[in-house]
Amino acid sequence: MHLLKTLFHKRKSLIITAVLLNILSVLWTLLWNIQLRNIIDSVSKGQVIPGNMVVKALILTAVISISSLLAESVSGCSCELMTHDLRMGFAGRLAEMNLQELEQVNAGEQVAGFQNEIGDVSDYMTENMVKLAGDAVRFAGTLILLLSVSPLLTAGAYLPVAGIVAYVIYSSKIIGRLTQQEQEAGKKMDGYVDIVLTLFPIIRIYDAARLLQDKFREENRIWRQAAEKREKTAAELMSLSALLSSIPVLLLLLLGGYLTQKQMITTGTLYLFLNLSGNVTGIMMNMPGHIAAFRKFEAHMDRLEPHISTDAELFKNP
C-alpha cells in the first residue's frame, strides 16, 4: 500500500485535522450523554432540574452539530483531494512516457483503470474509510467511558464481544476470498474488452462479432456470478453478525436492570449504557462489510500503483 501512504503523506495536515475533529466530535457526544444521565437521575429522584444543566445540554447540542459538520467537511475535502492526486498522478505517468512506451500502452487497460479503479477508490475513501475511522474512535472512547462509569456492567455486558470478534475474523476471511475471486473475474473481463478494442478492425473484416459477443457474454456471466455470490454470502454472514451483536444489548437489559434494582447503579447510568451500546456493537456488526470493502479497495490500489506517477510535479505539488 505504498501508494496510499504517499497520498496520506501529501495530505497529512488535512487528515490529522480530520482525525482530531472526529475525536472532538466523539468527546462532545459522550459529554452530552453524561449530561443526559445527570438529568435523568435528577428526574428519577424527583428533583427540579437546574437551569444551568439545561443550558449546558443546549450548548452541547449546538457544539455537537457544529463539530460533526466540520469533521465531515474536512474529511470529505481530504478524500476529494486524494482522488485528485490520483488523477494527476495517472496523467503524470502518461506524460513521462516516451513515444515507444506510449505505443505499447494497453488502451483498454488504461481506460478501465482510470474509469473503474479510480472511481471505486474515490467512493471507498469518501464513504467507508472516513466512516471506519470515526467508528474506531467512537468505539474506543465509548468503551473507556463505560469502564470508568461501571466496570462490572461493562465487563458483564461486553465479554461476549470476544466471541463476536472471532466470528467477524472468520467471516471476513470468507468475504475476502470471494472478493478476490470477483476481482479476478472482473480483471479477465476488462482484458477481454481490451482485446476487442485492439482487434476491432480485424473483427470487422472477418465478421467475427458474433463469436466474440458469445465469449464476452460468458466472461460477463462468470463475473456476475462471482459478484452475486459475494453479495449473497456477505449478506448472510452480516445478518448473523447483526444477530450476535444483539447479545450485549440483552445482557445490558438483564444485568443492568438487576443492578438498578439493587441500587448499585442509577437509572441514568443504565440509560447511558443502553444509549451508547450501538457504538460498541455497531462496529462489530459492520466489520465483515468493512473488511470486504477494504479488500476490494486494496486490490484496486495495487492495480493502480504501476500506472500512477509519484514523481510527477502535478502529483507532488499541492
Side-chain angles (χ1 to χ4, degrees):
M1 299 291 284
H2 175 71
L3 180 58
L4 184 61
K5 292 178 181 178
T6 304
L7 292 172
F8 280 168
H9 180 72
K10 181 183 178 183
R11 303 295 177 183
K12 59 183 178 182
S13 58
L14 269 177
I15 293 172
I16 292 173
T17 303
V19 171
L20 292 176
L21 286 173
N22 272 286
I23 293 174
L24 285 175
S25 178
V26 171
L27 290 177
W28 289 123
T29 303
L30 295 178
L31 286 175
W32 153 253
N33 280 277
I34 293 173
Q35 188 72 10
L36 193 58
R37 180 192 67 168
N38 296 333
I39 292 175
I40 293 174
D41 285 340
S42 298
V43 173
S44 64
K45 293 177 182 177
Q47 299 175 353
V48 178
I49 302 175
N52 61 342
M53 188 178 292
V54 177
V55 172
K56 287 180 181 179
L58 293 175
I59 293 174
L60 281 173
T61 303
V63 171
I64 289 170
S65 300
I66 295 172
S67 61
S68 298
L69 178 62
L70 286 174
E72 291 181 4
S73 300
V74 176
S75 300
C77 180
S78 303
C79 293
E80 288 298 323
L81 287 173
M82 285 192 290
T83 303
H84 171 75
D85 294 338
L86 279 178
R87 293 192 179 100
M88 292 299 99
F90 186 88
R93 178 73 183 97
L94 292 177
E96 290 175 349
M97 294 181 179
N98 54 41
L99 185 58
Q100 292 180 347
E101 290 175 329
L102 286 173
E103 289 177 348
Q104 297 175 358
V105 166
N106 189 320
E109 184 179 346
Q110 295 292 327
V111 171
F114 184 77
Q115 292 182 342
N116 298 332
E117 273 76 8
I118 293 182
D120 289 342
V121 164
S122 176
D123 291 340
Y124 176 83
M125 288 193 296
T126 304
E127 299 174 6
N128 290 279
M129 191 165 64
V130 174
K131 185 177 184 300
L132 182 59
D135 286 346
V137 172
R138 197 172 294 109
F139 173 85
T142 301
L143 199 58
I144 292 171
L145 173 64
L146 296 183
L147 280 171
S148 65
V149 172
S150 176
L152 176 61
L153 183 55
T154 304
Y158 295 116
L159 277 179
V161 170
I164 300 176
V165 170
Y167 171 76
V168 165
I169 294 173
Y170 167 75
S171 59
S172 65
K173 289 181 179 179
I174 297 175
I175 296 175
R177 185 174 66 250
L178 293 176
T179 301
Q180 186 176 4
Q181 292 175 1
E182 180 191 356
Q183 288 288 315
E184 291 297 327
K187 186 176 180 180
K188 289 181 180 178
M189 191 173 64
D190 288 342
Y192 189 77
V193 170
D194 178 67
I195 293 175
V196 173
L197 291 173
T198 305
L199 301 179
F200 182 75
I202 300 175
I203 295 171
R204 295 284 294 176
I205 292 173
Y206 291 98
D207 196 20
R210 184 177 296 276
L211 176 63
L212 292 174
Q213 185 181 33
D214 293 339
K215 178 63 177 174
F216 176 76
R217 285 177 177 173
E218 177 64 17
E219 296 290 344
N220 182 262
R221 182 188 66 81
I222 295 173
W223 169 77
R224 188 171 63 251
Q225 286 182 345
E228 290 175 354
K229 184 178 180 181
R230 179 192 63 80
E231 291 176 359
K232 181 181 178 181
T233 304
E236 292 173 350
L237 293 174
M238 290 182 68
S239 296
L240 181 55
S241 176
L243 181 62
L244 291 174
S245 67
S246 65
I247 295 176
V249 179
L250 294 175
L251 289 174
L252 274 177
L253 289 172
L254 294 174
L255 182 58
Y258 174 78
L259 294 177
T260 304
Q261 287 182 346
K262 295 295 183 179
Q263 296 184 349
M264 298 177 67
I265 62 172
T266 64
T267 304
T269 299
L270 178 59
Y271 173 82
L272 177 70
F273 272 78
L274 291 173
N275 196 38
L276 295 177
S277 62
N279 291 353
V280 179
T281 59
I283 190 170
M284 293 293 102
M285 181 179 67
N286 297 322
M287 190 55 65
H290 282 311
I291 292 175
F294 179 77
R295 294 286 177 84
K296 191 173 183 179
F297 166 76
E298 186 178 22
H300 284 314
M301 292 294 284
D302 289 340
R303 291 178 63 183
L304 277 174
E305 189 162 352
H307 307 287
I308 303 294
S309 171
T310 56
D311 296 326
E313 290 299 323
L314 289 173
F315 190 84
K316 291 165 59 179
N317 291 335

